[in-house]
Amino acid sequence: MKNRLILLRHGQSLFNKKNIFTGWVDVPLSKQGIEEAILAGKQLKDLPIDVIYTSTLIRAQMTACLAMSEHSTTKVPVMIRSEESKEGVWGKVHSPECEKELLPMYIDSRLNERMYGDLQGYNKQATREKFGEKQVHLWRRSYDVRPPQGESLEDNTKRTLPYFQETILPSLEKGNHVLIAAHGNSLRAIVKFLDGLSNEEILGLEIPTGKPLIYEYGAGSFTKGSL
């Protein structure tokens, strides 16, 4: 039996709605984003999900939780934080019976969106008017060019992909069905690996908000699946 990997970009955020560079600015979903997350949950309702991985940013966490509110599972999603943190220690469940009823949701900044540096908080169109269409396009759509004080897609890939390979992939290999609720660029980094895309090919990939992408994993390889 093949295991399923579900990739879900968060629903529209309030900064997405206002056409603002977001990056690591921690803004919630818009009303449309909430509706997108709920619809995604309805689409995933009957697919088994054993573990969730998400970023530290609220828009991804909201998306995961809202999607799971529509799921047929009776298990309760619970945020799993570092065991070294106060939240990890104080938030531990000690009842073995209760633990069986939990759906773990692991939080890690390596799944965060690309950090846009000095562009964060600026309207995208205003930025084009200030710096020029060509320069802003270069910052947004090249693989290895960084915006001022920010990350390139290559930088994003170098922090996201090792986490996928070292943590998420072993979970799939253990037989788990996995949901990743994350961001456009962190998911692009993962898809680049899954589909074997070149640095140039990944630039043309758009991952829409709130639309699940399905992969099946078996015999050490991934194939695209469907809902």
Side-chain angles (χ1 to χ4, degrees):
M1 179 180 175
K2 291 187 176 181
N3 304 107
R4 190 175 286 108
L5 171 66
I6 304 167
L7 306 180
L8 179 60
R9 182 183 176 189
H10 65 80
Q12 183 195 66
S13 75
L14 289 171
F15 269 18
N16 291 147
K17 182 179 180 180
K18 293 177 178 292
N19 199 32
I20 290 173
F21 281 104
T22 311
W24 282 43
V25 181
D26 206 4
V27 295
L29 298 180
S30 66
K31 183 178 180 180
Q32 177 181 321
I34 291 170
E35 293 169 351
E36 288 173 346
I38 290 172
L39 178 58
K42 291 177 178 178
Q43 293 174 318
L44 301 173
K45 181 177 185 292
D46 296 317
L47 298 184
I49 296 174
D50 301 306
V51 59
I52 302 169
Y53 296 90
T54 189
S55 78
T56 65
L57 301 172
I58 190 65
R59 57 193 186 272
Q61 295 176 19
M62 285 179 70
T63 297
C65 291
L66 287 166
M68 292 310 300
S69 73
E70 298 292 332
H71 200 270
S72 60
T73 185
T74 59
K75 291 190 174 183
V76 178
V78 61
M79 305 285 190
I80 306 295
R81 296 177 174 85
S82 169
E83 292 182 357
E84 289 75 36
S85 69
K86 185 174 182 178
E87 292 83 359
V89 175
W90 286 23
K92 183 176 177 59
V93 167
H94 294 278
S95 165
E97 292 304 312
C98 180
E99 194 169 20
K100 294 176 184 177
E101 298 302 315
L102 302 181
L103 179 63
M105 184 185 304
Y106 293 97
I107 302 167
D108 200 287
S109 63
R110 286 170 288 184
L111 290 175
N112 280 20
E113 179 58 288
R114 177 181 170 193
M115 199 276 283
Y116 275 99
D118 293 347
L119 301 184
Q120 291 183 176
Y122 280 96
N123 178 274
K124 292 176 183 177
Q125 183 54 40
T127 307
R128 293 187 189 98
E129 294 169 2
K130 180 177 180 179
F131 295 102
E133 181 80 31
K134 185 176 180 180
Q135 180 61 69
V136 174
H137 182 79
L138 188 64
W139 285 332
R140 294 189 67 200
R141 295 304 179 195
S142 60
Y143 185 69
D144 57 1
V145 177
R146 300 182 179 100
Q149 306 302 315
E151 289 183 307
S152 65
L153 179 55
E154 181 180 33
D155 295 327
N156 200 157
T157 300
K158 286 180 177 178
R159 69 168 157 82
T160 298
L161 193 53
Y163 179 70
F164 177 82
Q165 294 171 319
E166 296 165 10
T167 301
I168 300 176
L169 185 54
S171 183
L172 285 161
E173 291 172 340
K174 289 177 183 177
N176 288 320
H177 297 283
V178 173
L179 168 64
I180 303 176
H183 306 267
N185 284 302
S186 53
L187 292 178
R188 287 168 82 201
I190 293 171
V191 170
K192 183 178 188 295
F193 169 73
L194 299 179
D195 291 350
L197 301 179
S198 68
N199 295 350
E200 291 71 32
E201 288 172 327
I202 194 61
L203 299 179
L205 177 68
E206 294 289 345
I207 298 179
T209 56
K211 303 289 185 182
L213 299 178
I214 309 294
Y215 287 83
E216 293 181 346
Y217 179 76
S221 63
F222 289 91
T223 55
K224 287 186 176 179
S226 58
L227 290 170

